[in-house]
Amino acid sequence: MPHKAVFFNLEPWAREYISGNEKLKNAGVAIGFEDHVLDVSHMPADVGFDIAGIFVDSTLKKDVIGYLPKLKHIAALSTGFDHVDLPACAAAGVTVSTVPSYGENTVAEYAFGLILALSRKICDTHCRVREEGSFSLDGLRGFDLAGKTIGVVGTGHIGQHAVRIAKGFGMNVTAYDPYPNEKFAEEQGLKYLTLNDLLAASDIITLHVPYMPATHHLINKDNIGMVKKGAYLINTARGAVVETDALVSALKSGQLGGAGLDVLEEEGMVKDELNALVGGKAGEHDLKTVLEDHVLIDMPNVLITPHNAFNTKEAFQRILDTTIDNIVAFVNGQPANLVK
Ligand code: NAI
């Protein structure tokens, strides 16, 4: 059976790379591109494809999967897959592949970008010079990382890089993971703690867990009070790993000194509010959380970026290459990197 892969919302250079790829050509895969994301508000007119290449900005719920009669495989151009309804895929006989480890250094480096931006007030400093033409240091004093304690939550691919980088800064490193990597801990002289002990001990907490039922609101109103007063929370994992209500309250009360967030609960809605409202989909979202996201955006001690941690040229190249390999493996009947 001939195969057709359609990729959604890819930049022109990535389209060019995929179009010219010999592996896909040799595997006999026809290629198509759609200018927009794939979700319930953006259904493609042409549904004659069996493979969909999607990024985290597409949301494949049951209704979308049901709309695509030929779909057999979703090639996610990401590590996380919480934007894909796995039970609906299983019911429809659709398999899902991901890119397991393109961004271990990339995302960890970005987490430290957020940490340094907060610890040294780099955004405020830059804005003062550029927007006010002022070189005054008033209010710009930060704090050292050396000697501070960082708590790394999740010591998989990204978390392990975060540990190594933190060591380079001369930080004390603790970690929490329900599946501790004892060999890595020994190599790094790393101490695993319970989550509550980590929260109490850390000046900076950085989250590197996948989003799944067990990590939904991992940081929540019941445990955020355990956080060391004035600590900083960094989230480059997924928005819903943190209960937004609890986060806003802790930032307001000073329990948290600040936060660096590359991901937000309801970030899809925040990105495209107009479309959700006009498309009549606003009711599907938690509007209180959307409102709280706006409160966070306005807080002076919070730094928010638009799910950008993965976004380096090297990482994107690795994403494309692994996705192409995943598609070829699927077509050859030996699927790789499947979500189980
Ligand atoms: P990984 O699968 O290598 O590591 C995840 C770690 O979390 C594992 O060690 C696992 O044991 C641990 N874990 C599982 N359940 C846990 C729990 N309840 N509490 C604490 N730890 C738990 O994943 P990797 O590659 O390190 O990526 C982590 C996440 O980072 C991804 O799932 C994705 O959501 C996010 N990510 C974000 C990006 C961005 O652009 N902001 C880019 C890439 C990944």
Side-chain angles (χ1 to χ4, degrees):
M1 184 191 110
H3 294 278
K4 181 169 183 189
V6 171
F7 293 84
F8 291 81
N9 205 24
L10 276 193
E11 291 174 45
W13 74 268
R15 293 181 183 207
E16 210 174 298
Y17 184 76
I18 286 173
S19 302
N21 188 272
E22 290 299 324
K23 286 183 183 174
L24 288 172
K25 278 185 194 155
N26 293 340
V29 182
I31 302 294
F33 298 101
E34 291 282 351
D35 291 338
H36 48 73
V37 299
L38 176 58
D39 63 20
V40 71
S41 308
H42 304 88
M43 301 286 212
D46 179 359
V47 296
F49 56 90
D50 59 331
I51 302 165
I54 58 149
F55 196 59
V56 287
D57 49 5
S58 287
T59 307
L60 270 72
K61 296 248 168 79
K62 197 175 171 189
D63 39 11
V64 180
I65 291 156
Y67 176 81
L68 303 169
K70 293 199 167 166
L71 186 68
K72 285 280 165 265
H73 186 69
I74 296 167
L77 286 84
S78 56
T79 303
F81 47 83
D82 47 287
H83 52 311
V84 178
D85 184 338
L86 295 179
C89 287
V94 174
T95 54
V96 182
S97 61
T98 61
V99 184
S101 64
Y102 70 87
E104 43 207 73
N105 65 296
T106 309
V107 177
E109 286 170 18
Y110 195 86
F112 272 82
L114 292 175
I115 292 170
L116 285 168
L118 287 163
S119 67
R120 304 306 304 271
K121 304 191 181 184
I122 288 172
C123 297
D124 292 343
T125 305
H126 169 71
C127 286
R128 181 166 303 178
V129 173
R130 175 170 277 182
E131 283 161 25
E132 297 171 26
S134 164
F135 280 69
S136 161
L137 301 186
D138 198 23
L140 294 181
R141 184 159 300 139
F143 61 88
D144 282 353
L145 295 185
K148 297 290 187 309
T149 298
I150 188 166
V152 177
V153 180
T155 52
H157 293 97
I158 298 169
Q160 288 182 29
H161 265 271
V163 169
R164 291 192 193 95
I165 295 172
K167 292 249 158 195
F169 276 101
M171 302 184 82
N172 307 314
V173 189
T174 64
Y176 165 69
D177 195 308
Y179 309 99
N181 184 334
E182 298 298 353
K183 186 166 171 275
F184 177 72
E186 202 180 313
E187 277 164 21
Q188 296 294 321
L190 169 72
K191 202 171 165 210
Y192 277 106
L193 301 176
T194 63
L195 180 59
N196 282 352
D197 286 349
L198 176 147
L199 297 179
S202 304
D203 301 293
I204 295 170
I205 300 148
T206 183
L207 305 176
H208 301 293
V209 299
Y211 179 65
M212 52 190 178
T215 58
H216 176 74
H217 291 179
L218 186 66
I219 308 296
N220 56 57
K221 56 179 173 305
D222 294 328
N223 64 16
I224 209 156
M226 304 290 294
V227 166
K228 186 171 178 179
K229 179 115 176 120
Y232 284 72
L233 179 69
I234 307 299
N235 189 4
T236 56
R238 283 293 182 270
V241 172
V242 179
E243 185 177 12
T244 308
D245 231 14
L247 176 62
V248 170
S249 303
L251 285 161
K252 250 186 113 209
S253 71
Q255 182 77 35
L256 278 174
L261 311 171
D262 186 46
V263 285
L264 292 171
E265 242 186 319
E266 291 292 355
E267 69 187 37
M269 168 80 183
V270 174
K271 257 187 216 163
D272 200 3
E273 280 159 354
L274 182 61
N275 189 42
L277 288 170
V278 173
K281 304 288 176 197
E284 292 173 8
H285 297 271
D286 179 350
L287 296 182
K288 182 171 180 237
T289 302
V290 173
L291 190 61
E292 285 170 336
D293 285 347
H294 284 282
V295 170
L296 289 169
I297 289 168
D298 288 339
M299 282 183 163
N301 51 347
V302 177
L303 194 58
I304 291 179
T305 57
H307 204 141
N308 190 38
F310 74 94
N311 194 11
T312 66
K313 34 179 214 260
E314 293 85 355
F316 217 102
Q317 189 65 56
R318 290 192 289 269
I319 290 173
L320 290 183
D321 288 337
T322 306
T323 302
I324 289 166
D325 288 346
N326 287 347
I327 290 174
V328 171
F330 166 76
V331 165
N332 288 339
Q334 292 171 324
N337 295 323
L338 287 189
V339 179
K340 300 217 168 81

